[in-house]
Amino acid sequence: MLSTQTRNLSTLRRADAELEASERLAQGEVNLVSWHRELPVGLNAQLVEWAKRFPAQFDEIVGMPNYDLSAATRGLAEPARTWLTMDIAVLISRLAHLADARRLRVSFGAVRTDQCRKFHVDYVRYRLVTTYVGPGTEWVPDAAVRREALDHPPDCPCDANKEIVKDASAIRHAVPGEVIVMTGALHSNHRGAVHRSPPIEGTGRVRVVLIASTVDRP
């Protein structure tokens, strides 16, 4: 089911909601859209085994529409590698179309740390995130965000998060397969979506995550 975040948390429910939501994201009416999809049976197990081998993180700026993603999924067994390479290609092409971007920064691989522990807004126009294995991105509806605390957070992540999001029950948790596309600080709406990486450091858990971001300027 597609979900969208607007300043009043309205939800689009028509059959073409996904397309309309993307258009509203581009126009700055919303700052986050997400949609759920079922991942192939067996993909999780193959990715977990792949992640155990500590594969190198793929992190490159790719030109659109000609790019090579083969390095991103190197070492992953078939049929997962073919499906995943195609899935990444489809998602980044979709983001490039939405953002009218000629280049994207694409990061893919296994994650074992918290990465971004504080709730924050990315310094980009758009970012797409999807988690294939493990807990997904945590994000917060605008109504639950204290923007003044976001601008000047305490140094300690725990203290900062409590100041930025007073009501922890407002935090949304993405699930594996869910795709999130959000605006960042460089978007014309000037109210980028507030989010963070789920805390997993020290738990032994692993995530396999795709992040694609615009690298151009508005």
Side-chain angles (χ1 to χ4, degrees):
M1 179 182 294
L2 172 74
S3 65
T4 66
Q5 177 191 343
T6 69
R7 291 168 195 172
N8 61 2
L9 302 181
S10 63
T11 301
L12 304 174
R13 300 184 183 278
R14 294 190 298 277
D16 62 346
E18 190 175 314
L19 175 60
E20 183 172 340
S22 295
E23 293 174 350
R24 294 180 66 189
L25 187 71
Q27 295 166 1
E29 296 178 24
V30 302
N31 60 14
L32 185 150
V33 299
S34 71
W35 63 92
H36 295 269
R37 70 247 177 85
E38 294 294 327
L39 296 177
V41 175
L43 178 67
N44 182 279
Q46 285 193 266
L47 283 173
V48 168
E49 288 303 311
W50 175 75
K52 288 179 181 178
R53 300 195 293 272
F54 292 89
Q57 187 86 13
F58 179 87
D59 189 358
E60 295 185 9
I61 294 177
V62 302
M64 307 299 294
N66 300 313
Y67 50 83
D68 181 4
L69 297 174
S70 60
T73 55
R74 183 177 292 125
L76 181 61
E78 296 292 354
R81 186 180 187 188
T82 295
W83 183 90
L84 192 58
T85 302
M86 180 60 69
D87 191 58
I88 294 172
V90 168
L91 291 176
I92 67 173
S93 295
R94 185 170 189 164
L95 179 63
H97 178 74
L98 169 68
D100 192 22
R102 296 182 179 180
R103 300 182 303 156
L104 294 174
R105 181 175 180 176
V106 179
S107 174
F108 175 77
V111 177
R112 295 174 175 82
T113 65
D114 293 349
Q115 291 186 316
C116 302
R117 297 177 64 191
K118 291 182 182 179
F119 282 108
H120 65 284
V121 173
D122 294 320
Y123 197 70
V124 297
R125 276 199 301 136
Y126 292 98
R127 175 160 289 175
L128 178 151
V129 183
T130 189
T131 302
Y132 295 96
V133 172
T137 300
E138 298 181 359
W139 59 274
V140 186
D142 277 345
V145 175
R146 296 182 65 246
R147 291 273 171 178
E148 62 274 20
L150 187 68
D151 293 336
H152 304 285
D155 292 333
C156 174
C158 290
D159 293 339
N161 291 335
K162 290 177 182 178
E163 288 297 316
I164 296 167
V165 186
K166 289 291 189 181
D167 181 7
S169 68
I171 299 171
R172 306 290 190 261
H173 304 266
V175 298
E178 184 175 357
V179 180
I180 293 175
V181 184
M182 59 189 125
T183 61
L186 296 182
H187 194 276
S188 58
N189 68 1
H190 302 301
R191 290 182 71 86
V194 175
H195 63 287
R196 73 163 182 169
S197 302
I200 62 169
E201 192 164 349
T203 67
R205 303 185 72 180
V206 64
R207 305 170 65 219
V208 177
V209 185
L210 168 68
I211 302 173
S213 309
T214 52
V215 293
D216 56 337
R217 294 295 183 264

